[in-house]
């Protein structure tokens, strides 16, 4: 008996008890719904968090002096930042590369002062899509290439220091030689990202102005931020960039290293997500195992007759496994039917959680989107399909084994 005939018999056996088959298939479909919900919400949330965090200054990839990430200091700098930026930007996977200076500073206005972070950026070159401060402007405008004395500050810092547009901001920091230096700029713009920690501690200054204050040479900077279209390819792109940008005095880091706290939180959440899906899979497999085992026990006499007429144990096992596989296929088809409307709704509309978490909920300094939506990557879809099919097939192994161990004489006698 060939495989096609066994498949035909397996399908006929499933149709004989349609209610049981449909109940089992719907349990698989419900598992598909839950798997898509867990996976798609994770794909959307993690991608949003990563793409938001990299716009705070470091990018998906960062080229920086060796050791800078462990002990940040303005005394550590790259000497050919412009060349590094241009070579990185020429790569097809890169959609943005920017020279930046990032360090700690004290900011003052009148008798008030606060500590924070200063970021030297390239006016006129930076894309607001890669710079959260530029696209979060609340008042005024960012300093342009012809305004080296301008500054862009956060709304909370403006409140703390009682600053308005046009007012002077004094900043003090340590230059590349370890000496204290100061500068004065006028507020040209005020941004509001929605994250109080960021809005109260970050100041953007034109790169050339900051170089002068820090006594940097024209092509020196602390890092080059690199942005790519798909955050999942970060490691791959780093390997490619390493071939053209590697040097003994520089390191190429991913967002997982520059944003280690966020990477840790995502890893923990992903582990919980995978655990939930594993438990759901076990429940589905247990349901299929129970169904198939009941079917095998009820059909012992049938299997005995088939084996007495010449069917071998291997063919019986194959038939039962095919039945299990077909239940999985039917469950997937039903799962697609009941999941598609839910998925499309969540992609287009989503669920607004601002009533539960507010509009300013953040993690690791990154503002979290209060509207939960779905996004499924291709590998996630493949993983869900493969996982369901493997579980349904594995769940049929023991019933198939029991069916193949049937003794024809005992079954025909009714024992």
């Amino acid at each position: 008996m060939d495989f096609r005939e066994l498949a035909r018999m397996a399908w006929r056996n499933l149709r004989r008890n349609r209610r049981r088959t449909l109940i089992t298939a719907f349990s698989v479909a419900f598992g598909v719904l839950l798997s898509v919900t867990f996976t798609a919400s994770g794909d959307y949330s993690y991608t949003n968090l990563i793409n938001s965090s990299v716009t705070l200054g470091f990018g998906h990839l960062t080229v920086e002096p060796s050791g800078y990430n462990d002990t940040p200091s303005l005394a550590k700098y790259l000497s050919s930042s412009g060349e590094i930026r241009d070579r990185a930007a020429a790569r097809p996977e890169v959609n943005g590369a920017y020279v930046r200076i990032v360090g700690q500073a004290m900011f003052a206005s009148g008798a008030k002062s606060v500590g924070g972070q200063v970021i030297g950026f390239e006016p006129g070159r930076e894309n607001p899509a890669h710079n959260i401060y530029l696209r979060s402007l609340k008042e005024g405008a960012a300093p342009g290439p012809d305004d080296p004395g301008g500054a862009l500050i956060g709304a909370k810092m403006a409140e703390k220091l009682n600053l308005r547009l046009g007012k002077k901001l004094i900043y003090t920091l340590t230059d590349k030689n370890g000496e204290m230096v100061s500068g004065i700029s006028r507020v040209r713009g005020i941004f509001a990202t929605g994250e109080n920690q960021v809005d109260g501690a970050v100041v953007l200054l034109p790169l050339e102005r900051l170089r002068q204050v820090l006594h940097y040479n024209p092509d020196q900077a602390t890092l080059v931020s690199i942005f790519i279209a798909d955050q999942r390819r970060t490691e791959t792109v780093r390997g490619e960039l390493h071939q053209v940008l590697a040097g003994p005095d520089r390191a190429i880091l991913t967002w997982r290293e520059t944003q280690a706290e966020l990477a840790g939180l995502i890893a923990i959440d992903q582990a919980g997500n995978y655990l939930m899906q594993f438990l759901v899979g076990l429940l589905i497999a247990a349901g299929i195992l129970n169904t198939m085992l009941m079917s095998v026990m009820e059909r012992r006499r049938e299997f005995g007759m088939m084996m007495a007429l010449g069917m071998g144990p291997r063919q019986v096992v194959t038939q039962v496994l095919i039945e299990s596989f077909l239940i999985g296929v039917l469950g997937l088809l039903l799962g697609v039917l009941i999941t598609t409307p839910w998925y499309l709704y969540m992609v287009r509309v989503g669920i607004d959680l601002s009533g539960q978490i507010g509009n300013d909920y953040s993690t690791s300094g990154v503002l979290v989107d209060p509207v939960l939506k779905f996004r499924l990557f291709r590998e996630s879809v493949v993983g869900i399909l493969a996982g369901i099919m493997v579980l349904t097939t594995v769940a049929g192994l023991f019933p198939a084994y029991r069916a193949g161990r049937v003794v024809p004489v005992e079954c025909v006698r009714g024992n």
Side-chain angles (χ1 to χ4, degrees):
M1 187 175 295
D2 61 11
F3 183 84
R4 184 178 301 178
E5 184 64 27
L6 289 174
R8 191 177 296 117
M9 292 177 61
W11 178 245
R12 186 175 65 247
N13 288 329
L14 292 178
R15 291 178 60 189
R16 282 194 307 181
N17 197 328
R18 296 181 181 180
R19 180 179 298 178
R20 179 190 296 168
T21 300
L22 286 175
I23 291 174
T24 308
F26 269 110
S27 71
V28 176
F30 183 65
V32 173
L33 176 66
L34 291 180
S35 292
V36 168
T37 299
F38 289 141
T39 305
S41 61
D43 284 353
Y44 177 84
S45 300
Y46 302 148
T47 299
N48 265 16
L49 282 174
I50 294 166
N51 288 340
S52 295
S53 72
V54 299
T55 63
L56 292 172
F58 289 92
H60 293 98
L61 292 157
T62 307
V63 183
E64 60 184 42
S66 298
Y68 176 86
N69 189 60
D70 297 327
T71 54
S73 171
L74 291 170
K76 300 175 182 177
Y77 50 85
L78 299 170
S79 296
S80 303
S81 58
E83 178 186 354
I84 294 172
R85 175 200 61 206
D86 295 340
R87 294 176 71 178
R91 307 295 298 180
E93 305 89 347
V94 175
N95 58 15
Y98 310 99
V99 175
R100 289 172 177 166
I101 295 175
V102 179
Q104 298 301 309
M106 288 294 298
F107 305 101
S109 175
K112 297 180 179 180
S113 63
V114 296
Q117 184 181 66
V118 61
I119 299 177
F121 75 109
E122 300 177 278
R125 180 185 287 270
E126 297 236 6
N127 184 345
H130 300 149
N131 190 319
I132 193 172
Y133 313 107
L134 297 183
R135 69 169 185 261
S136 303
L137 277 172
K138 178 183 177 183
E139 298 179 47
D146 56 349
D147 183 19
L152 184 63
I153 70 172
K156 289 297 180 181
M157 180 175 289
E159 289 182 19
K160 293 176 184 178
L161 299 181
N162 194 26
L163 287 170
R164 299 187 303 276
L165 297 180
K167 290 290 186 177
K168 291 182 179 179
L169 173 69
I170 302 171
Y171 47 92
T172 303
L173 59 172
T174 305
D175 71 1
K176 71 175 187 178
N177 300 314
E179 299 179 357
M180 298 294 293
V181 292
S182 297
I184 299 177
S185 293
R186 290 190 179 274
V187 178
R188 300 289 188 237
I190 298 175
F191 61 82
T193 65
E195 169 50 46
N196 293 337
Q197 183 179 349
V198 173
D199 294 342
V202 176
V203 171
L204 271 68
L205 299 173
L207 186 66
E208 291 305 323
R209 173 61 174 167
L210 198 52
R211 277 173 172 157
Q212 294 173 7
V213 173
L214 295 172
H215 303 117
Y216 279 13
N217 294 334
D219 205 26
Q220 291 178 339
T222 56
L223 56 89
V224 175
S225 300
I226 301 170
F227 295 83
I228 61 177
D230 188 348
Q231 56 86 12
R232 295 171 297 164
R233 288 185 50 79
T234 302
E235 290 291 347
T236 301
V237 176
R238 173 165 69 169
E240 296 172 355
L241 290 176
H242 192 270
Q243 298 177 6
V244 296
L245 298 178
D249 58 345
R250 66 180 70 144
I252 304 175
L253 308 181
T254 70
W255 66 268
R256 289 183 176 85
E257 295 161 293
T258 57
Q259 303 282 337
E261 183 179 351
L262 178 65
L265 289 174
I266 290 177
I268 292 172
D269 194 76
Q270 280 182 322
N273 195 324
Y274 294 150
L275 177 60
M276 289 296 296
Q277 293 193 57
F278 176 72
L279 294 177
V280 169
L282 285 183
L283 291 176
I284 295 172
I288 296 174
L289 173 63
N290 180 64
T291 299
M292 296 302 300
L293 198 54
M294 287 178 60
S295 175
V296 167
M297 298 304 294
E298 291 174 357
R299 294 157 55 198
R300 290 182 73 250
R301 182 178 179 84
E302 175 187 332
F303 289 136
M305 291 292 295
M306 293 166 60
M307 294 174 71
L309 293 175
M311 179 179 283
R314 185 172 300 177
Q315 290 175 311
V316 173
V317 169
T318 302
Q319 180 183 327
V320 175
L321 287 177
I322 292 174
E323 291 179 20
S324 181
F325 179 81
L326 289 176
I327 288 177
V329 172
L330 182 59
L332 279 177
L333 293 176
L334 291 173
V336 170
L337 287 177
I338 66 175
T339 302
T340 298
W342 166 241
Y343 177 78
L344 292 177
Y345 173 81
M346 289 298 292
V347 168
R348 297 170 182 173
V349 181
I351 299 176
D352 189 351
L353 301 176
S354 57
Q356 287 71 42
I357 66 174
N359 291 310
D360 57 353
Y361 179 75
S362 64
T363 179
S364 301
V366 181
L367 198 66
V368 177
D369 186 355
V371 179
L372 176 64
K373 291 187 175 183
F374 281 179
R375 178 179 185 177
L376 268 181
F377 294 123
R378 183 180 302 173
E379 59 267 27
S380 298
V381 175
V382 173
I384 291 173
L385 295 178
I388 294 294
M389 296 312 303
V390 168
L391 279 174
T392 54
T393 303
V394 169
L397 288 176
F398 181 68
Y401 169 78
R402 291 292 301 271
R405 298 280 293 178
V406 164
V407 179
V409 175
E410 294 180 358
C411 294
V412 172
R413 288 177 178 173
N415 296 328

